[in-house]
Amino acid sequence: MGNFLFSVNATMPVFFVMMLGVLFRRIGLIDEAFASGMNRFVFKIALPVSLFTQLCDVDFREVWDTGYVVFCFGITLLSVLVAVALSFVFRDKEVRGEFVQGSFRSSASLLGMTYIENIYGEATLGSLMMLGCVPLYNVMAVLVLSLMRPGSEGVDRKRLKAALKGIVTNPIIWGILLGFAWGMIGITLPNMVMKTTGYIGRLASPMGLLAMGAQLNFHSLGEKLPPVFLGTFMKLIGFTALFIPHAVFLGFRGEKLLAVLIMLGSASTVAGYIMAKNMGHEGTVSAGCVVLSTLLSSLTLTIWIWILRFQGLI
């Protein structure tokens, strides 16, 4: 019961803030221009700063585990490939890119670290998980959303070049790389700087959620339920059932195994919706995956945690 209450307390506020975005749009406090502006600010400033602050003070030399980072990277890549293969079951090509991203991209850096800290009191090894998967999340998201853009046919050199440019200039990737580099250097930022970046970083989640709620199109969502349902199933159940046994077989236990579970089975990240909107996609499938996976993750994660605890693995 305690695990369930914790999961509900961690996930339901995300849903409530999204619904406030819907309400604020209905009563005229947020319009389309304001919501789009919030999306751009979160994508270019708040989210990169948030990721930087989470990584910049981690002592990676002390906790480094090459095999663990490679494992997180490898199963993330395999998840992307499986999601791409599954996307071809949908005749509507415009939903494929968002379906792929909604299936594999977790909210590991937002909700996930909270779960780890609640159980173990700290999330140091969770930072290694983030290093193995979050940069790849963003690189693959840029590639998928660029190469599977609505109205595009095939892959040509121009679109591939644009996708690679998108990776190099992606502010979220830069936030991760700079945070890791700063953590490796080991220089502590002045307290006033950490507080300032902390304030800005904490804007990412609430602003992104409000903007998503304000831009959520329920009519379009009703027309695109199949990719939303399948994407949510793969996000919360499919990839976890596929890869957690491999993590157990390789000997990962405790915080490391919990971090893998969070990486595979936590809700789809708000950042996926923000990136989809900023890269020319409608955003309906992305928003649907975030809403549905957020609602259901309190139940599914509780079940996964109970199973692993019952087996004495975490």
Side-chain angles (χ1 to χ4, degrees), residues 56-115:
C56 69
D57 59 351
V58 175
D59 187 353
F60 289 104
R61 292 187 181 89
E62 182 179 341
V63 300
W64 187 258
D65 184 336
T66 301
Y68 183 68
V69 174
V70 170
F71 176 78
C72 292
F73 181 92
I75 60 175
T76 298
L77 183 59
L78 287 174
S79 298
V80 176
L81 296 177
V82 171
V84 169
L86 286 174
S87 71
F88 289 97
V89 305
F90 302 113
R91 292 184 179 181
D92 184 359
K93 296 180 180 179
E94 295 192 357
V95 308
R96 291 176 180 173
E98 291 189 61
F99 162 79
V100 172
Q101 184 185 220
S103 298
F104 79 81
R105 195 174 180 189
S106 296
S107 55
S109 60
L110 296 176
L111 291 179
M113 301 297 274
T114 305
Y115 276 92

Side-chain angles (χ1 to χ4, degrees), residues 12 52 67 112 120 147 168 182 286 306:
M12 290 310 294
F52 172 82
Y120 289 101
L147 301 179
V168 173
W182 200 273
S286 297
W306 179 84

Side-chain angles (χ1 to χ4, degrees), residues 35-36 38-44 47-48 51 97-98 100-102 104-106 133-150 163 165-176 204 208-209 211-212 215 269-284 286-287 290:
S36 297
M38 284 197 294
N39 257 324
R40 287 194 299 273
F41 175 79
V42 172
F43 178 69
K44 294 182 178 181
L47 192 54
L51 292 167
E98 291 189 61
V100 172
Q101 184 185 220
F104 79 81
R105 195 174 180 189
S106 296
C133 70
V134 174
L136 186 59
Y137 279 162
N138 289 278
V139 169
M140 297 308 296
V142 172
L143 283 173
V144 166
L145 294 174
S146 297
L147 301 179
M148 304 177 83
R149 185 170 294 171
K165 181 181 178 182
I167 293 171
V168 173
T169 60
N170 187 287
I172 298 174
I173 295 175
W174 276 104
I176 295 167
L209 290 167
M212 183 168 63
Q215 295 181 307
T269 178
V270 180
Y273 166 80
I274 295 167
M275 187 176 287
K277 289 291 289 186
N278 279 273
M279 295 184 66
H281 291 256
E282 183 184 52
T284 302
S286 297
V290 173

Side-chain angles (χ1 to χ4, degrees), residues 6 10-11 14 54 106-120 122-127 129-130 133-134 137 255 258-269 297 301 305:
F6 166 71
T11 57
V14 174
Q54 290 181 55
S106 296
S107 55
S109 60
L110 296 176
L111 291 179
M113 301 297 274
T114 305
Y115 276 92
I116 300 171
E117 288 173 358
N118 183 75
I119 294 176
Y120 289 101
E122 60 180 6
T124 304
L125 295 177
S127 300
M129 174 271 290
M130 285 177 54
C133 70
V134 174
Y137 279 162
E255 187 183 339
L258 180 63
V260 173
L261 171 63
I262 296 302
M263 178 184 71
L264 292 168
S266 60
S268 294
T269 178
S297 64
L301 272 176
I305 290 171

Side-chain angles (χ1 to χ4, degrees), residues 193-304:
V193 175
M194 286 299 293
K195 283 190 173 182
T196 302
T197 55
Y199 290 148
I200 296 173
R202 284 194 291 273
L203 293 173
S205 186
M207 286 188 70
L209 290 167
L210 285 172
M212 183 168 63
Q215 295 181 307
L216 191 59
N217 187 324
F218 286 98
H219 177 70
S220 297
L221 181 59
E223 296 175 346
K224 296 177 179 177
L225 288 179
V228 170
F229 284 150
L230 182 57
T232 299
F233 173 81
M234 295 304 299
K235 183 81 243 15
L236 301 181
I237 299 174
F239 290 129
T240 305
L242 186 62
F243 293 120
I244 277 291
H246 295 279
V248 173
F249 175 76
L250 291 173
F252 298 127
R253 299 291 187 271
E255 187 183 339
K256 286 184 178 180
L257 184 61
L258 180 63
V260 173
L261 171 63
I262 296 302
M263 178 184 71
L264 292 168
S266 60
S268 294
T269 178
V270 180
Y273 166 80
I274 295 167
M275 187 176 287
K277 289 291 289 186
N278 279 273
M279 295 184 66
H281 291 256
E282 183 184 52
T284 302
V285 174
S286 297
C289 286
V290 173
V291 172
L292 188 58
S293 64
T294 297
L295 279 173
L296 296 178
S297 64
S298 59
L299 175 62
T300 57
L301 272 176
T302 299
I303 293 172
W304 285 120

